[in-house]
Amino acid sequence: ASGFHSASLQALTQDTTLSLKDSSLTYAPAYTLSATLTRQQGFPLVYQPLTFAVDGVLLGIARTGASGTAFLTVANTPLLAIGTHSLVVSFVGDGRWNPASNSATLTITQAPTQLSATNVSGKVGSKVSLTAKLTRASDNTVLAGQTIQFQIAGVVVGSAKTDSKGVAALAYTIPTNTSKGGYSLTADFGGTAF
């Protein structure tokens, strides 16, 4: 006797894992974020789109490379202000791979700065220019539009903003009752979002 029996074959989607770590970045003009997408046994999933969002706002989409890692470089925006943020990376999945999502803490910290004052001399009663240059320590980028306070012998004598070259210059008249000799010149930058 012959018989016929039908059965069904169901193709199941496979689970995926999305990995990312908490990270701390120093304030900069741009940042590179990353996340890694893998399947069972940790094998990488290549050329898959990952969505990056910070504090619920979409930053962009990047595809995974040969190692399963996607890198997204984003310009600094007010969204990435100094402080702690929530970074969420998602993979929407497709007919073969299940969706995955993960979150991490992204901390943006102030960048160290360098401030150098220039020695100056002059006669009592004459005008001199007190100058100081402000740069970001990580890459020596000049910082324009920042307020620098000047002190002579511990006494505040005024402040000036840095120009396009990062230099603040304050016109100062040496008081006529100043005794001859050397005095400490201090320039101070109180810090900003940089």
Side-chain angles (χ1 to χ4, degrees):
S2 64
F4 178 78
H5 180 74
S6 65
S8 65
L9 172 66
Q10 182 178 6
L12 301 174
T13 54
Q14 298 182 50
D15 287 337
T16 59
T17 302
L18 195 51
S19 304
L20 64 154
K21 297 177 181 176
D22 292 342
S23 56
S24 180
L25 304 173
T26 301
Y27 185 94
Y31 306 103
T32 299
L33 308 174
S34 65
T36 302
L37 182 66
T38 55
R39 57 186 176 90
Q40 288 92 339
Q41 288 88 40
F43 291 109
L45 284 178
V46 300
Y47 206 62
Q48 300 299 321
L50 302 185
T51 301
F52 292 74
V54 168
D55 297 336
V57 178
L58 175 68
L59 283 181
I61 298 172
R63 290 194 178 270
T64 57
S67 65
T69 301
F71 297 94
L72 179 70
T73 299
V74 293
N76 194 337
T77 69
L79 175 66
L80 297 170
I82 299 294
T84 302
H85 305 277
S86 172
L87 171 65
V88 177
V89 181
S90 304
F91 170 58
V92 296
D94 56 23
R96 188 174 176 192
W97 308 108
N98 284 330
S101 182
N102 205 345
S103 63
T105 299
L106 174 64
T107 304
I108 308 294
T109 60
Q110 284 185 316
T113 56
Q114 298 176 138
L115 184 62
S116 57
T118 304
N119 291 331
V120 64
S121 62
K123 294 180 179 180
V124 170
S126 68
K127 285 189 177 183
V128 294
S129 181
L130 308 180
T131 62
K133 184 174 184 178
L134 179 66
T135 58
R136 190 166 48 228
S138 59
D139 58 6
N140 283 328
T141 298
V142 296
L143 301 176
Q146 305 305 311
T147 301
I148 307 299
Q149 184 183 77
F150 291 90
Q151 297 178 27
I152 294 179
V155 177
V156 175
V157 293
S159 61
K161 284 193 178 282
T162 54
D163 61 17
S164 61
K165 295 180 181 179
V167 176
L170 176 69
Y172 174 73
T173 301
I174 300 173
T176 54
N177 62 348
T178 303
S179 300
K180 185 178 179 181
Y183 295 86
S184 64
L185 168 60
T186 305
D188 181 57
F189 173 56
T192 64
F194 296 106

